Amino acid sequence: GAVVSQHPSWVICKSGTSVKIECRSLDFQATTMFWYRQFPKQSLMLMATSNEGSKATYEQGVEKDKFLINHASLTLSTLTVTSAHPEDSSFYICSARGTGAVNSPLHFGNGTRLTVT
Amino acid sequence: GENVEQHPSTLSVQEGDSAVIKCTYSDSASNYFPWYKQELGKRPQLIIDIRSNVGEKKDQRIAVTLNKTAKHFSLHITETQPEDSAVYFCAATPGRGGADGLTFGKGTHLIIQP
């Protein structure tokens, strides 16, 4: 089945630094990838929709200058948390849907646990 | 935008009994409703999904029902087993051209008592 690889699986960084998270679709092409954030014991909240070759669409309340998204190819999207602060500590999960597949299931990456000290 | 409500937040059942989790959605344009199971620290795993042109779908011990008129859908797990213990999320999306992300419910922590 479709596999989405996310890296790193966990990262600890100091306040003020930036962290990049990669999301790759391994055996299919994904024109659209989605980035979610999940705080402990809470649901997954959609942060942004990443479109290959164009600007990402951010959900209300998500700072686009803080969470930089790049979707340079059909198999790779990156999320960069800039100037990270302790409140950015969370579980970040990407997901992807194959090309030409309306309402096909979303495939999730393994997630990245970010801890900002 | 879409708003998905999920109940209950915690559900404890005896092993072998059935469990039912209910969700409602607000956007009448939503037409795809997946259910995910998430174990602690892991990614959500799709367990079953239903599209708006179907009223019920079953896969072994798991079934999902959809009432479009009332805008609610439910997950039914029969003959529950200890490995069913996890957090379950319902979700909905209008899925316009596949470009819409999912809106998730807040989750239900299912506890199977031995």
Side-chain angles (χ1 to χ4, degrees):
Chain A
V3 176
V4 175
S5 174
Q6 188 172 340
H7 179 82
S9 56
W10 61 272
V11 58
I12 301 173
C13 71
K14 291 186 176 181
S15 186
T17 61
S18 296
V19 174
K20 180 185 283 189
I21 303 170
E22 293 187 348
C23 181
R24 294 180 185 273
S25 56
L26 295 187
D27 52 359
F28 67 102
Q29 294 182 325
T31 53
T32 305
M33 291 185 175
F34 305 94
W35 287 95
Y36 291 86
R37 179 167 54 184
Q38 185 177 34
F39 291 108
K41 298 187 179 181
Q42 294 190 23
S43 188
L44 293 92
M45 299 300 297
L46 179 65
M47 299 176 64
T49 301
S50 170
N51 302 297
E52 186 268 335
S54 64
K55 291 183 179 180
T57 303
Y58 290 82
E59 295 299 304
Q60 192 172 8
V62 178
E63 301 174 58
K64 62 180 180 181
D65 294 331
K66 181 170 183 62
F67 298 100
L68 301 179
I69 291 173
N70 184 282
H71 193 155
S73 76
L74 285 172
T75 59
L76 174 64
S77 176
T78 61
L79 168 69
T80 301
V81 183
T82 62
S83 187
H85 291 285
E87 56 265 32
D88 297 324
S89 298
S90 186
F91 192 50
Y92 293 86
I93 311 177
C94 69
S95 67
R97 180 181 283 129
T99 57
V102 177
N103 274 345
S104 63
L106 280 180
H107 304 284
F108 283 88
N110 274 327
T112 298
R113 186 162 302 284
L114 170 64
T115 302
V116 185
T117 60
Chain B
E2 178 63 276
N3 180 49
V4 177
E5 298 284 341
Q6 182 172 348
H7 298 281
S9 56
T10 303
L11 177 60
S12 180
V13 301
Q14 290 294 124
E15 181 179 352
D17 288 350
S18 296
V20 180
I21 302 170
K22 298 181 179 181
C23 288
T24 59
Y25 61 99
S26 62
D27 190 346
S28 57
S30 285
N31 55 18
Y32 176 63
F33 309 91
W35 286 88
Y36 288 86
K37 175 183 180 182
Q38 187 179 31
E39 298 177 355
L40 190 63
K42 296 187 177 180
R43 76 173 106 186
Q45 297 276 6
L46 177 70
I47 56 172
I48 196 166
D49 57 11
I50 191 167
R51 304 183 192 282
S52 59
N53 59 346
V54 175
E56 184 175 356
K57 184 177 178 180
K58 189 174 181 180
D59 182 4
Q60 300 182 338
R61 297 188 296 110
I62 296 173
V64 57
T65 58
L66 171 65
N67 183 326
K68 283 184 60 180
T69 303
K71 294 208 277 291
H72 67 69
F73 55 113
S74 301
L75 177 71
H76 304 252
I77 305 175
T78 59
E79 301 172 19
T80 53
Q81 300 168 3
E83 54 264 36
D84 294 331
S85 294
V87 178
Y88 291 80
F89 293 98
C90 63
T93 181
R96 289 177 287 263
D100 290 294
L102 294 169
T103 299
F104 286 86
K106 292 189 183 302
T108 296
H109 186 191
L110 177 62
I111 302 167
I112 307 301
Q113 303 278 8

